[in-house]
Amino acid sequence: MKKIFLLSVTFSAFIISAVAQPQLIEKTDVPAGKVGIAYKKYKLTNGLTVLLHEDHSDPIVNVAVTYKVGSYREDLGKSGFAHFFEHMMFQGSKHIADEEHFKIIQTAGGNMNGFTEHDKTTYFETLPSNYLETALWLEADRMGFLLDSLYERKFENQRDAVKNEKSQNVENQPYALGFEEEINELLYPAGHPYSWPVIGYTDDLNRASMNDVRNFFLRWYGPNNAILAVSGDFDEAQALKWIDKYYGTLKQCPEVKKVRAPQVVLPQDKYGAYRDRVFLPLNLRVYPTVPQYHRDEAALDLLADMFGSGKNSLLYKNFVKNEKAATAFAQHSNQELSGEFQIGVIAYPPDDFNYENLFGEIDKNVKATLDEFEKTGITDDALQRAKAKKITSIYDGLDGVFQKSLMMSEWERLLGKNSSIQDEIDRYNKVTKEDITRVFSKYIKSAGAAILNTYPIISAKDSAKSSNPYAGQTFTANPEYNGLSYQPTPDGFDRGVRPVPGAPKIVKVPDYFQFALSNGIKVIGTSFSETPIVQLRIEMDGGELVNADSKKTGIASLTANMMNESTKNYTSEQVEAELDKLGSDISFSANKLSTVITVSSLKENLDATMKILEEKLFRPAFKEDDFKRLKKEMSNNIQQEAKQPEQTATKLFDYVLYGETPLGLSASVKSVDKISLQDVKDYYEKNYTPTLAKITVVGDVNNEVAKQKLDILSKWPSKNVTVPAPPAPVTQTADQFYIYDMAGAPSTVVYMGYASNKYEPYGDFFKNRIVNFAFGGNFNSRINLNLREEKGYTYGIRSAFSGNAYTGKFLISSSVKRKSTALSLAEIMKEMKNYNTNGITDKELEYTKNSMLNQEAIKYESSMQKLFFLSDIVKYNLEKDYTQKQNDILKGITKEEANAQIKKYMKTSPLNMLVVGDKMAIDAQLKKYAAEPQYAPNLSNIKLKKISD
């Protein structure tokens, strides 16, 4: 990569202060024939850093604004405020009405979001490129004018949303509390900026005030503390004019200095424990290491891969291979102030329930494995494999304008200068075996670790609950927030005038080639050269549908798992070692409808990767010891999933809709136990066939190259196999309400819906997707604005029509506050009745059409988007112009037609309602509110039914 520094730091600062337009500081070019990110760095007079990367391959653009503020800028007693403030930034500003930010972006056909970490907060939009000025205007308005629209109800709604998010994603998810809170409190000293969770403690959130919001905005949200990255299809000169117009007059926040924190050192192991809703106990060992881009970071990353990633690692051999654990892993992550080297062992429950003894044995065995690694694991071959995998993952970061914006922004935030893909690759290529030995000795062998043991909850009286270690304490107010005042600078233009988008550019639906191999396999593919990676997807129809014995449900998945193991000529370790050296991946998986083989390879290594695929696909070994281990893993994972509310709701809702059929049944401990190794062999022999297969390929290959690379699959012998259509869904004549009891669960998962149309591109299935958009298909939908933004019952709720070649369903899904379960059900049913009775409004239909039509521009950008788009074409035998025909239907649908569709397919009865949560609490609510007039019409007919797995 060629980097040109146009001004020295000292000189450029002088020039910037004297000239009132963006100043070019630095540019990075990509040599011909290489892949990378060519971009330029500019500075505004107010300190805003601007990064511009032009990419005209798709008519889309990404705008990402990163503020150098995260939870590490918070004070004790005010945890979670950076993340809370992120929510407030989506609630409108001086010139943008409440909820309008989402609506504007979605009308443009774009997507947007934000996220908060310890060290930063990032906001982004990806949208058609003719809306670039709109995105810049929106981000500038909330950077400069958020406080003009701040009021109490908005503040309280977002406080509820954050608390719901914490309940749903932390307290109601297995292990999340350990990773988000418990380990940080153990690893970092009290008061360290990483010692509290990013999402914060609930009691701190309860104490947050409107004044806190104002001060946080004034202190940190200035252009001098932000990085604006723009990637995609735009003209640089025009973009700079817009950036100068909308951002140039914004006032700076007070000077922001780097956070300083001493390096964390644990002289000896430090132990902690907590209880969670899990079936499989977790032992998590974390060593403190170095900040991101420290000279030892790359060596520690590769060390983690060598020690604990894949079947050739000692961690796998000493824990998973010998059936001591379901999973064992090592990973190294870094942030601005520190790094963490994690070793995790998710073990099987002990037969005698003596968890103390179990954790003691794990601890001893991990230490022994580390000793063994020091003696035998640091080899040239292991290092080579780790480097190849890492380099492929770096190339993955080029797949999309959003990823490129993030990568550029991180280089700037952490390095303060431009960098390149080649710089990243060089960092890892330069690591030597001696470097691995050195960092292992310094940060692992000679250091202590924080060790957290996660015990399964045994008693219903126990709960997984966040606890603030600083609760009840008072802290001195931070003087950084004293004397802050809000006085926006006048502009020479009216910011209230929304930019008019330019003429839309023609959307490039991926051009594709098609051919058939000599054994009949249909192949579809498209050329894609933005990364050097080729992606293959081989999908065989069947899955569980071709399993004739319902008592052995799970055989498709178990067979696929066995295909990931040894072949007749090579052990699974040998196969994986060869794939790692190539930076390639081959994976088999299965579901109720199909078996899927995914292949990822650098183009230069595709021939070698296909040779390995040939070995895995045609010559599986089906070893007894592999089978025994995988059955045990599968059975224990099923029991683990039973502790996860969303997983449980998904399985049970399918059963409610489809009953004792392949679509309704999920693998259970009993069904897996009945599967024999011979069953797996028989399933493979009968159902792994090109007769049922279709191949999709995306990468830097054309029709002729693809034929040559895939010819190896022509050897696959055909078999006469047909896939039986599943039985029709369960006939339903009345509303049904089911409850699955998860005693003590802080949130309730709600699923509501019914069986509906199968997939087809132009008829009722497609029209149902149109009319659902306003009801529950976007952030500004009726149900989300009601339950999240107005009532504060949930972090989010959505509805969708989904379908396949056989059937489909309509599903409303959410996780709601436990205490608001009954009220949430009532509001959902009220909204359904209103929509069915009164239909869609003119404004809603116009919004739907604009949004869905404009979405076309961002549908085909990444390699995976292209892969699944083409996969659908070959799977459903779609016409080449089917998306244009869909757009014509969308443009032409009238309000009357939409309302007829709603009345017919978005019905309020018969309805299936399933809740997964604390039955005692839910039952009490239903009885209470059913007796109240305003809720009785919605809730009085609900009859509780206990449903089991």
Side-chain angles (χ1 to χ4, degrees):
M1 299 293 171
K2 184 179 181 183
K3 288 183 280 185
I4 303 172
F5 295 83
L6 291 120
L7 298 168
S8 70
V9 175
T10 304
F11 185 58
S12 68
F14 173 79
I15 295 294
I16 289 169
S17 66
V19 182
Q21 68 246 17
Q23 292 295 297
L24 178 61
I25 305 300
E26 188 179 356
K27 64 182 292 188
T28 297
D29 295 322
V30 179
K34 299 290 185 180
V35 295
I37 308 173
Y39 70 107
K40 296 178 181 178
K41 172 182 174 181
Y42 288 86
K43 277 277 191 180
L44 301 192
T45 56
N46 56 12
L48 179 68
T49 299
V50 179
L51 307 174
L52 301 180
H53 163 65
E54 286 190 61
D55 174 3
H56 300 287
S57 57
D58 294 287
I60 63 175
V61 68
N62 173 265
V63 173
V65 181
T66 297
Y67 293 89
K68 291 178 273 190
V69 56
S71 62
Y72 78 157
R73 298 281 186 184
E74 296 165 353
D75 303 309
L76 290 175
K78 293 184 180 293
S79 68
F81 207 80
H83 173 256
F84 184 11
F85 191 82
E86 175 213 316
H87 279 246
M88 298 304 302
M89 285 280 279
F90 288 94
Q91 299 307 304
S93 49
K94 182 176 182 179
H95 308 101
I96 318 296
D98 296 356
E99 318 303 341
E100 194 72 12
H101 199 129
F102 272 104
K103 190 169 185 178
I104 290 171
I105 295 298
Q106 290 178 336
T107 299
N111 59 58
M112 62 179 291
N113 214 325
F115 58 89
T116 306
E117 298 177 357
H118 279 119
D119 309 323
K120 66 179 180 183
T121 306
T122 298
Y123 306 87
F124 62 90
E125 297 92 0
T126 302
L127 66 176
S129 54
N130 57 313
Y131 283 90
L132 172 59
E133 185 183 5
T134 300
L136 293 170
W137 168 70
L138 287 166
E139 287 294 349
D141 206 68
R142 58 181 177 183
M143 180 185 285
F145 304 93
L146 181 82
L147 298 187
D148 296 88
S149 70
L150 185 64
Y151 55 86
E152 192 69 34
R153 184 176 65 82
K154 182 190 298 186
F155 173 80
E156 291 299 336
N157 284 347
Q158 292 315 301
R159 192 205 308 265
D160 281 340
V162 173
K163 289 161 65 176
N164 288 333
E165 181 181 358
K166 182 179 177 72
S167 175
Q168 174 182 331
N169 295 342
V170 178
E171 295 176 332
N172 212 34
Q173 293 298 324
Y175 309 115
L177 196 60
F179 281 99
E180 295 292 329
E181 295 188 16
E182 298 285 344
I183 191 63
N184 291 334
E185 293 170 9
L186 191 64
L187 177 63
Y188 296 102
H192 188 283
Y194 292 169
S195 64
W196 56 82
V198 172
I199 201 168
Y201 299 111
T202 301
D203 50 344
D204 285 350
L205 294 170
N206 287 336
R207 283 194 299 271
S209 68
M210 291 269 286
N211 195 53
D212 290 326
V213 171
R214 294 188 181 93
N215 282 337
F216 199 86
F217 173 79
L218 294 170
R219 178 64 191 91
W220 304 112
Y221 273 70
N224 53 313
N225 196 37
I227 301 164
L228 169 64
V230 183
S231 296
D233 179 38
F234 63 90
D235 175 77
E236 179 183 319
Q238 180 61 74
L240 286 171
K241 289 180 182 178
W242 287 332
I243 290 168
D244 191 42
K245 174 183 178 180
Y246 293 116
Y247 295 85
T249 60
L250 300 184
K251 281 194 172 182
Q252 295 182 335
C253 63
E255 180 187 4
V256 177
K257 297 179 180 179
K258 280 188 171 291
V259 173
R260 304 292 180 186
Q263 183 174 351
V264 177
V265 176
L266 295 178
Q268 59 189 19
D269 290 345
K270 183 179 179 182
Y271 292 84
Y274 83 108
R275 293 192 179 277
D276 205 344
R277 292 183 185 84
V278 300
F279 178 75
L280 302 173
L282 166 66
N283 171 266
L284 180 63
R285 172 181 289 263
V286 182
Y287 294 89
T289 62
V290 298
Q292 201 165 351
Y293 285 102
H294 185 280
R295 67 185 184 92
D296 288 339
E297 179 197 9
L300 285 161
D301 287 348
L302 297 176
L303 168 63
D305 187 273
M306 294 164 66
F307 177 72
S309 177
K311 296 175 180 176
N312 287 285
S313 70
L314 285 176
L315 203 58
Y316 178 87
K317 184 195 79 170
N318 291 349
F319 285 94
V320 180
K321 187 76 171 178
N322 60 13
E323 300 183 34
K324 290 181 179 178
T327 305
F329 62 88
Q331 59 190 20
H332 185 235
S333 60
N334 305 81
Q335 300 178 85
E336 187 176 330
L337 303 181
S338 182
E340 299 176 7
F341 190 100
Q342 297 184 348
I343 302 172
V345 177
I346 300 179
Y348 295 118
D351 293 335
D352 60 0
F353 295 99
N354 189 335
Y355 288 97
E356 292 292 338
N357 183 62
L358 172 71
F359 285 128
E361 284 296 311
I362 293 173
D363 200 48
K364 182 178 69 175
N365 290 336
V366 169
K367 291 176 180 177
T369 303
L370 288 168
D371 290 339
E372 183 182 355
F373 179 77
E374 183 182 21
K375 296 173 184 176
T376 65
I378 305 174
T379 65
D380 290 324
D381 187 64
L383 181 57
Q384 177 193 350
R385 297 197 306 268
K387 286 181 178 181
K389 290 164 64 179
K390 184 62 181 181
I391 290 169
T392 299
S393 73
I394 292 171
Y395 284 132
D396 280 335
L398 294 171
D399 198 2
V401 288
F402 175 47
Q403 286 79 2
K404 292 175 183 178
S405 288
L406 289 186
M407 195 172 289
M408 294 188 304
S409 299
E410 286 300 273
W411 288 332
E412 173 62 27
R413 184 176 70 87
L414 295 164
L415 298 173
K417 62 180 182 180
N418 284 20
S419 191
S420 70
I421 293 295
Q422 192 59 52
D423 289 338
E424 289 292 308
I425 291 172
D426 289 345
R427 283 206 300 146
Y428 291 91
N429 272 337
K430 290 175 182 177
V431 174
T432 66
K433 192 168 63 172
E434 290 70 29
D435 291 328
I436 301 294
T437 301
R438 176 178 55 80
V439 298
F440 176 81
S441 177
K442 181 176 181 179
Y443 299 104
I444 311 300
K445 180 183 177 183
S446 303
I451 298 137
L452 179 68
N453 292 324
T454 302
Y455 288 75
I457 288 176
I458 304 298
S459 170
K461 297 179 181 179
D462 292 329
S463 63
K465 191 71 176 173
S466 170
S467 177
N468 185 354
Y470 307 104
Q473 300 182 39
T474 57
F475 302 96
T476 304
N478 188 337
E480 283 193 292
Y481 295 103
N482 293 340
L484 299 175
S485 61
Y486 174 55
Q487 294 178 332
T489 302
D491 294 298
F493 68 99
D494 184 358
R495 286 184 180 267
V497 177
R498 183 184 303 182
V500 177
K505 297 186 179 181
I506 296 175
V507 178
K508 300 175 185 176
V509 177
D511 192 18
Y512 55 86
F513 51 81
Q514 289 183 291
F515 58 87
L517 299 180
S518 59
N519 55 0
I521 304 179
K522 292 181 179 179
V523 179
I524 187 170
T526 190
S527 296
F528 180 72
S529 58
E530 292 180 34
T531 79
I533 299 172
V534 178
Q535 306 278 0
L536 296 179
R537 177 182 171 87
I538 305 170
E539 183 168 4
M540 289 178 286
D541 295 337
E544 286 296 330
L545 285 182
V546 292
N547 172 24
D549 189 348
S550 63
K551 294 181 180 179
K552 296 181 180 180
T553 298
I555 191 170
S557 292
L558 188 53
T559 303
N561 292 342
M562 286 292 289
M563 297 296 292
N564 290 317
E565 297 296 326
S566 305
T567 70
K568 291 178 179 177
N569 298 313
Y570 303 97
T571 66
S572 57
E573 290 82 0
Q574 290 172 324
V575 172
E576 188 169 284
E578 291 304 309
L579 286 170
D580 288 348
K581 288 176 185 177
L582 300 170
S584 301
D585 182 73
I586 300 173
S587 178
F588 290 71
S589 62
N591 54 43
K592 294 179 180 181
L593 299 178
S594 63
T595 293
V596 177
I597 309 167
T598 58
V599 180
S600 175
S601 171
L602 295 173
K603 180 186 175 182
E604 63 192 51
N605 296 331
L606 187 54
D607 285 331
T609 303
M610 293 302 292
K611 282 285 188 183
I612 298 173
L613 175 62
E614 178 189 23
E615 176 69 21
K616 289 176 68 68
L617 180 59
F618 298 162
R619 291 179 283 277
F622 295 129
K623 292 183 178 179
E624 183 68 44
D625 56 345
D626 288 337
F627 177 71
K628 177 174 172 287
R629 172 173 48 81
L630 290 175
K631 272 189 68 170
K632 183 176 180 180
E633 285 182 16
M634 192 169 180
S635 294
N636 279 271
N637 286 336
I638 289 168
Q639 293 176 84
Q640 174 68 21
E641 288 174 355
K643 301 290 185 178
Q644 298 175 250
E646 285 83 4
Q647 292 266 19
T648 300
T650 299
K651 292 179 180 181
L652 294 181
F653 199 75
D654 281 348
Y655 181 76
V656 167
L657 294 187
Y658 305 116
E660 300 282 335
T661 72
L663 295 182
L665 294 173
S666 299
S668 66
V669 173
K670 289 182 180 179
S671 69
V672 171
D673 185 58
K674 292 180 183 298
I675 300 172
S676 69
L677 181 55
Q678 188 59 49
D679 292 328
V680 167
K681 292 178 180 179
D682 291 344
Y683 185 95
Y684 167 79
E685 288 297 334
K686 181 179 179 181
N687 301 305
Y688 274 57
T689 168
T691 309
L692 303 177
K694 301 172 183 66
I695 301 176
T696 310
V697 55
V698 174
D700 190 11
V701 295
N702 57 26
N703 183 69
E704 292 306 314
V705 172
K707 284 181 180 179
Q708 184 265 317
K709 303 295 183 184
L710 296 174
D711 185 61
I712 203 166
L713 296 176
S714 297
K715 303 175 184 177
W716 197 359
S718 297
K719 301 167 187 172
N720 186 21
V721 181
T722 57
V723 179
V730 176
T731 301
Q732 185 178 351
T733 57
D735 293 341
Q736 301 288 336
F737 185 93
Y738 302 90
I739 184 165
Y740 184 86
D741 188 17
M742 282 194 172
S747 299
T748 303
V749 173
V750 175
Y751 274 28
M752 300 172 67
Y754 36 76
S756 188
N757 304 75
K758 68 180 182 179
Y759 175 88
E760 43 81 36
Y762 311 125
D764 287 330
F765 177 82
F766 177 66
K767 293 175 184 176
N768 285 345
R769 291 184 57 232
I770 296 173
V771 298
N772 174 69
F773 187 84
F775 178 76
N778 74 98
F779 184 87
N780 280 58
S781 69
R782 290 190 181 192
I783 55 176
N784 197 59
L785 289 182
N786 181 337
L787 272 76
R788 173 182 160 131
E789 299 300 310
E790 294 179 21
K791 301 295 192 303
Y793 294 161
T794 178
Y795 177 54
I797 181 171
R798 67 186 302 270
S799 64
F801 284 91
S802 60
N804 53 59
Y806 306 101
T807 187
K809 64 185 172 186
F810 173 67
L811 176 64
I812 303 170
S813 59
S814 184
S815 179
V816 303
K817 290 180 183 177
R818 179 173 62 189
K819 67 179 182 180
S820 302
T821 302
L823 297 178
S824 298
L825 293 171
E827 289 300 322
I828 295 169
M829 295 167 73
K830 181 185 76 176
E831 291 290 355
M832 290 183 70
K833 183 176 181 180
N834 181 45
Y835 201 56
N836 184 270
T837 302
N838 300 314
I840 196 169
T841 68
D842 291 324
K843 285 186 177 180
E844 285 175 329
L845 184 57
E846 180 185 12
Y847 173 45
T848 296
K849 289 184 177 184
N850 289 335
S851 181
M852 292 184 70
L853 287 168
N854 287 328
Q855 283 175 6
E856 186 81 3
I858 67 171
K859 283 182 178 179
Y860 318 113
E861 182 204 8
S862 72
S863 61
M864 295 309 294
Q865 285 177 305
K866 289 178 169 67
L867 196 72
F868 284 104
F869 170 71
L870 297 181
S871 180
D872 279 349
I873 288 177
V874 71
K875 181 190 301 184
Y876 296 113
N877 196 28
L878 300 175
E879 299 169 291
K880 196 159 191 174
D881 63 345
Y882 88 95
T883 57
Q884 182 57 53
K885 291 181 178 178
Q886 286 183 330
N887 288 341
D888 291 342
I889 293 169
L890 176 59
K891 291 175 186 176
I893 193 169
T894 66
K895 183 179 177 182
E896 290 71 26
E897 289 172 331
N899 286 337
Q901 201 75 20
I902 291 167
K903 282 188 178 296
K904 184 175 182 180
Y905 290 106
M906 299 191 72
K907 53 195 178 184
T908 57
S909 183
L911 185 68
N912 293 297
M913 294 168 278
L914 167 68
V915 295
V916 177
D918 190 309
K919 181 181 181 300
M920 185 178 295
I922 296 167
D923 194 5
Q925 290 176 52
L926 292 173
K927 290 178 180 177
K928 172 185 175 182
Y929 289 111
E932 297 189 16
Q934 64 268 41
Y935 302 115
N938 291 324
L939 299 178
S940 59
N941 293 327
I942 288 178
K943 307 297 182 184
L944 287 176
K945 290 187 178 183
K946 180 74 166 61
I947 187 169
S948 68
D949 53 356

